[in-house]
Amino acid sequence: MTHWRRSPRPVGFALDGIRSELEPATLLGEVQRVWPEAVGAAIAAEAQPTAERGGVLTISCSASVWAQELDLMGPAIVERLNESLSGGSVTRLRCVSLPPE
């Protein structure tokens, strides 16, 4: 006998189940997945990891003030990220500010 749900599940529920299958199998992909938890919601809203090369993670920030702040916080952020990563590691951050729109 088939059991039917009375109401549909939120789409986020379905996406959570396949997220790991969809994310790129790269250090950048993994960093982007753990970024909000590693740095917190306030920083994640203003800065995003956008590139990685040789362990150097480029962080694109909404303003130069954020880029400067994250430069200062870099060693602590790198440590938190590496604790959250299952493979690979970040050696340092390169913080850049996005041009104004």
Side-chain angles (χ1 to χ4, degrees), residues 31-89:
V31 167
Q32 288 172 331
R33 182 179 54 78
V34 302
W35 180 254
E37 293 86 23
V39 300
I43 292 174
E46 301 294 337
Q48 290 293 316
T50 53
E52 182 274 328
R53 185 172 182 175
V56 177
L57 185 64
T58 300
I59 307 298
S60 296
C61 303
S62 62
S64 60
V65 171
W66 277 103
Q68 291 169 352
E69 187 68 23
L70 292 184
D71 274 337
L72 295 173
M73 297 171 61
I77 291 172
V78 166
E79 184 177 335
R80 282 184 292 199
L81 283 172
N82 286 332
E83 289 172 357
S84 300
L85 299 173
S86 62
S89 66

Side-chain angles (χ1 to χ4, degrees), residues 81-99:
L81 283 172
N82 286 332
E83 289 172 357
S84 300
L85 299 173
S86 62
S89 66
V90 174
T91 56
R92 72 179 185 88
L93 301 184
R94 177 180 166 266
C95 302
V96 298
S97 59
L98 298 171

